């Protein structure tokens, strides 16, 4: 069974895994170059950066404003898998490529090939490490060591010398201590690479080991990929990312403690890096994750970078990410309210769901206040009287003989008299309507229909709104080569936006284009 380390190790994670108030944003400094495979920052000058692209190494002296090619890689397999610099001589730059290993002694001015394998697998260099008196070079077929400044190389024999090498760590702050990882596990040397011991390996389900210091896992990943990294701040502190999980050791690899994978969602093994403040970072092909407060949080949720290949830490504390779509530098922001959730990144620039719902309700005129207003008006009906106005016209036979005329020309004539008009006004109150009136029944029917219509509209708005956020996240996850899928997702995004505009009379798009308020 796996040995359990002391309680001090758990206390360490309680401290280093604290909830940080730092939030990351990323700036693309790749100047429109694509396909970054590796990156190296100059420890003496943060404006000087080297980066590996397929077939070449490029360099900037102004923090990414402009780049120039400093090395063209020979051979058919021209990947630049790792760039490294010596601790004592930072002006000496090394490059592990698919066409051998290269070195520049004048900070990228002139390059020479210092290693060329006997076959294709040896020629594909995958990792580099510069120790006190040796250079360590990983290839697809094993580990090579040079102790004469790259003039000659010796292949490491035995179990530790076979299999593809993934990374080499020269154990910062510990002279002669070297770690490297390969397909066969993690190995450690206490004498500068002269002898090696296995300190970590995953066990397959078919070959479980027993005995003191060995362990077994319920399952392992299909790819046997390991990554080992030592923490230069604490002697003996080592981390290992493996197919069977992420582990930490406080005694140089003798005993290991498993770290939770909560938050990684099964994204597998990747590079491990440290910040000067004790934060732990892991790079997977899907993103960069930081370990805080007992869980992993993604720092690249809003970054559309494609496949992520390499993570480096500059002396200033910034992270440098080499990815399919560019080269990115992290910018740490202080957030008063703590860390934001991944969803917050996609909600930036978007109107809130409540805001969109209110706009749809206003446009359809189905707000709840409308029903309440009807009821209040119906209750006031009893206070107003019923007004009746009556009009009566008397057109009876009022006839008389006209006489006494001065001219006598109109005397003795039968004439019709004037009509009689009668009118009246009556006011009637029915105070029983203060308690109940027939209008309430009609309002109840209309209220039920309006509530159903309102629910249907809000249901449509909710589905369209969150479906649009999902499409945005799926679009960010697509690579540049997936042109057809990207087009389909972009069209779907426009379709959902148009549907929300139809329900809100164009309010949604107007809020998307409006500048953010302070």
């Amino acid at each position: 069974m796996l040995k359990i380390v002391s309680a001090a190790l758990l206390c360490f994670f309680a401290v280093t895994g604290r909830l940080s108030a730092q939030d990351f944003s990323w700036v693309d400094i790749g100047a429109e170059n694509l396909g970054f495979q590796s990156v190296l920052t100059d420890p003496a000058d943060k404006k000087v950066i080297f980066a590996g692209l397929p077939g070449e190494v490029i360099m900037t002296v102004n923090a990414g404003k402009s780049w120039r090619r400093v090395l063209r890689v020979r051979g058919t397999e021209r990947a630049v898998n790792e760039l490294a610099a010596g601790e004592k001589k930072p002006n000496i730059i090394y490059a592990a490529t698919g066409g051998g290993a290269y070195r520049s002694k004048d900070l990228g001015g002139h390059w020479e090939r210092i290693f060329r394998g006997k076959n294709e697998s040896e020629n594909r260099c995958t990792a580099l490490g510069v120790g006190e008196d040796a250079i360590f070079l990983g290839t697809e077929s094993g580990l090579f060591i040079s102790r004469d400044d790259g003039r000659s190389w010796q292949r490491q024999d035995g179990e530790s010398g076979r299999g593809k090498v993934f990374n080499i760590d020269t154990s910062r702050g510990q002279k002669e201590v070297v770690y490297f990882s390969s397909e066969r596990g993690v190995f450690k040397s206490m004498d500068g690479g002269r002898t090696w011991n296995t300190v970590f390996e995953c066990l397959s389900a078919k070959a479980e080991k027993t005995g003191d210091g060995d362990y077994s896992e319920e399952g392992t990943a299909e790819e046997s990929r390991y990554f080992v990294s030592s923490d230069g701040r604490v002697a003996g502190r080592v981390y290992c990312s493996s197919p069977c999980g992420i582990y930490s050791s406080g005694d140089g690899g003798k005993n290991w403690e498993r770290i939770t994978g909560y938050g990684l969602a099964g994204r597998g093994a990747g590079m491990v890096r440290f910040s000067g403040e004790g934060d732990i970072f892991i790079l997977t092909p899907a993103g960069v994750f930081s370990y805080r407060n007992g869980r992993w949080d993604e720092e690249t949720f809003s970054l559309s970078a494609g496949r992520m290949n390499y993570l480096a830490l500059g002396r200033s504390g910034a992270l440098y990410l080499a990815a399919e779509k560019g080269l990115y530098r992290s910018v740490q922001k202080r957030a008063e309210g703590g860390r934001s959730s991944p969803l917050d990144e996609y909600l930036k620039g978007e109107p809130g769901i409540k805001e969109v719902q209110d706009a749809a309700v206003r446009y359809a005129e189905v707000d709840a206040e409308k029903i309440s207003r009807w009821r209040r008006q119906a209750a006031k009906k009893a206070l107003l009287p019923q007004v009746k106005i009556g009009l009566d016209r008397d057109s009876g036979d009022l006839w008389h003989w006209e006489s006494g005329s001065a001219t006598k020309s109109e005397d003795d004539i039968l004439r019709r008299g004037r009509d009689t008009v009668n009118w009246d006004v009556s006011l009637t109150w029915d105070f029983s309507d203060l308690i109940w009136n027939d209008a309430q029944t009609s309002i109840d029917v209309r209220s039920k229909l309006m509530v159903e219509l309102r629910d249907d509209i809000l249901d449509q708005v909710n589905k369209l709104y969150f479906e649009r956020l999902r499409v945005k996240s799926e679009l960010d996850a697509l690579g540049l080569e997936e042109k057809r899928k990207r087009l389909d997702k972009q069209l779907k995004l426009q379709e959902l936006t148009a549907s929300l505009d139809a329900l809100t009379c164009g309010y949604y798009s107007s809020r998307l284009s409006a500048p953010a308020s302070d």
Side-chain angles (χ1 to χ4, degrees):
M1 295 298 290
L2 177 63
K3 287 185 176 179
I4 306 300
V5 296
S6 64
L9 181 58
L10 299 178
C11 294
F12 171 80
F13 283 112
V15 175
T16 60
R18 66 193 179 282
L19 181 62
S20 174
Q22 294 177 349
D23 196 8
F24 283 85
S25 63
W26 298 86
V27 179
D28 189 353
I29 61 172
E32 299 184 357
N33 291 300
L34 298 175
F36 284 88
Q37 298 171 319
S38 54
V39 60
L40 172 69
T41 60
D42 184 354
D45 187 350
K46 64 181 181 180
K47 292 184 179 181
V48 177
I49 305 170
F50 293 87
L53 297 172
E56 61 184 0
V57 175
I58 60 176
M59 175 186 180
T60 178
V61 295
N62 51 22
K65 294 180 181 178
S66 62
W67 294 83
R68 61 185 177 89
R69 186 176 64 198
V70 294
L71 171 64
R72 182 187 291 274
V73 179
R74 306 172 192 172
T76 56
E77 176 59 49
R78 302 190 300 160
V80 180
N81 295 308
E82 186 159 20
L83 296 164
E87 288 288 334
K88 293 183 178 180
K89 299 178 180 179
N91 283 342
I92 301 179
I93 308 299
Y94 299 87
T97 77
Y102 293 80
R103 178 178 61 194
S104 172
K105 293 185 176 182
D106 55 0
L107 202 63
H110 301 86
W111 293 80
E112 59 178 333
R113 183 153 61 175
I114 60 175
F115 177 86
R116 184 173 183 178
K118 296 179 181 180
N119 52 53
E120 285 297 321
S121 61
E122 286 187 2
N123 205 38
R124 297 191 185 103
C125 301
T126 56
L128 258 171
V130 183
E132 289 286 334
D133 59 355
I135 305 171
F136 301 88
L137 181 64
T139 71
E140 287 193 353
S141 63
L143 179 69
F144 290 81
I145 305 173
S146 174
R147 301 188 186 279
D148 55 5
D149 201 27
R151 288 187 291 273
S152 63
W153 296 84
Q154 291 77 42
R155 180 178 182 133
Q156 177 62 36
D157 297 327
E159 182 74 11
S160 60
R162 291 183 293 173
K164 181 179 179 179
V165 177
F166 295 118
N167 87 291
I168 302 168
D169 187 289
T170 52
S171 188
R172 293 164 292 172
Q174 295 188 63
K175 186 178 179 180
E176 296 289 303
V177 178
V178 183
Y179 297 88
F180 83 90
S181 64
S182 73
E183 294 174 327
R184 299 180 179 274
V186 176
F187 302 87
K188 176 184 178 181
S189 173
M190 299 288 292
D191 52 11
R194 292 172 179 82
T195 59
W196 297 89
N197 295 312
T198 304
V199 293
F200 188 94
E201 61 179 332
C202 284
L203 305 178
S204 65
K206 295 181 180 180
E208 293 187 357
K209 294 183 180 180
T210 59
D212 192 25
D214 292 327
Y215 61 93
S216 63
E217 294 293 333
E218 294 181 358
T220 60
E222 292 183 1
E223 183 185 7
S224 298
R225 181 178 178 87
Y226 297 80
F227 193 95
V228 62
S229 184
S230 59
D231 186 350
R233 301 175 305 108
V234 182
R237 179 70 59 197
V238 188
Y239 294 86
C240 176
S241 173
S242 74
C244 51
I246 304 164
Y247 290 81
S248 169
S249 172
D251 52 13
K254 294 180 181 179
N255 301 288
W256 295 89
E257 172 76 8
R258 186 164 186 169
I259 305 175
T260 178
Y262 178 64
L264 289 177
R267 289 174 170 84
M271 289 185 175
V272 181
R273 295 291 187 232
F274 309 96
S275 72
E277 298 180 355
D279 291 325
I280 311 169
F281 299 95
I282 276 190
L283 171 70
T284 74
V288 177
F289 296 81
S290 61
Y291 183 78
R292 298 185 182 96
N293 204 33
R295 63 158 291 152
W296 295 92
D297 294 306
E298 185 173 356
E299 303 291 1
T300 52
F301 190 82
S302 62
L303 183 62
S304 179
R307 180 179 177 84
M308 302 181 189
N309 299 314
Y310 198 94
L311 185 67
L313 182 69
R315 286 292 177 92
S316 63
L319 291 171
Y320 291 83
L321 174 62
E324 176 187 6
K325 299 180 184 179
L327 179 65
Y328 302 88
R329 183 183 68 242
S330 70
V331 179
Q332 293 180 344
K333 302 180 295 182
R334 295 287 176 178
E336 295 180 0
R339 295 178 54 79
S340 59
S341 69
L343 180 59
D344 292 337
E345 298 296 335
Y346 282 115
L347 289 173
K348 288 181 180 178
E350 298 272 349
I353 180 62
K354 183 64 168 60
E355 190 178 342
V356 180
Q357 289 175 341
D358 290 343
V361 167
R362 285 196 303 270
Y363 178 56
E365 296 184 346
V366 290
D367 57 291
E369 178 60 26
K370 187 174 183 179
I371 300 297
S372 299
R373 186 168 60 252
W374 285 353
R375 295 191 186 280
R376 289 195 301 269
Q377 292 172 347
K380 294 177 181 179
K381 178 182 177 183
L383 300 177
L384 298 176
Q386 182 178 5
V387 180
K388 293 183 179 180
I389 299 176
L391 181 65
D392 182 23
R393 180 171 175 265
D394 185 3
S395 55
D397 296 333
L398 299 178
W399 296 90
H400 65 278
W401 290 96
E402 181 69 33
S403 64
S405 171
T407 61
K408 296 184 181 181
S409 59
E410 298 294 332
D411 289 347
D412 302 326
I413 296 176
L414 184 64
R415 294 182 176 279
R416 184 178 183 279
R418 294 180 178 180
D419 293 347
T420 300
V421 178
N422 299 319
W423 63 274
D424 64 89
V425 177
S426 65
L427 303 177
T428 305
W429 282 267
D430 186 353
F431 291 106
S432 64
D433 284 343
L434 288 173
I435 301 174
W436 177 260
N437 60 65
D438 295 336
Q440 296 289 352
T441 303
S442 177
I443 292 174
D444 288 342
V445 175
R446 292 175 179 269
S447 174
K448 182 177 182 298
L449 295 174
M450 197 181 79
V451 168
E452 291 176 353
L453 176 60
R454 181 175 181 272
D455 288 345
D456 289 342
I457 292 173
L458 292 181
D459 185 56
Q460 292 182 57
V461 169
N462 293 341
K463 289 179 179 179
L464 292 170
Y465 183 88
F466 290 104
E467 177 65 18
R468 190 176 182 279
L469 293 181
R470 279 190 289 270
V471 172
K472 285 177 67 177
S473 68
E474 292 169 359
L475 187 61
D476 283 348
L478 294 176
L480 286 177
E481 73 281 357
E482 300 177 284
K483 294 182 180 179
R484 179 65 183 177
K485 289 184 179 180
R486 290 185 67 84
L487 178 60
D488 290 342
K489 294 298 181 183
Q490 288 170 347
L491 290 174
K492 183 64 176 179
L493 198 65
Q494 294 300 320
E495 177 187 349
L496 293 170
T497 304
S499 297
L500 287 169
D501 279 339
L503 290 170
T504 60
C505 194
Y507 177 83
Y508 189 84
S509 287
S510 67
R511 285 290 288 112
L512 281 178
S513 57
S517 58
D518 294 332

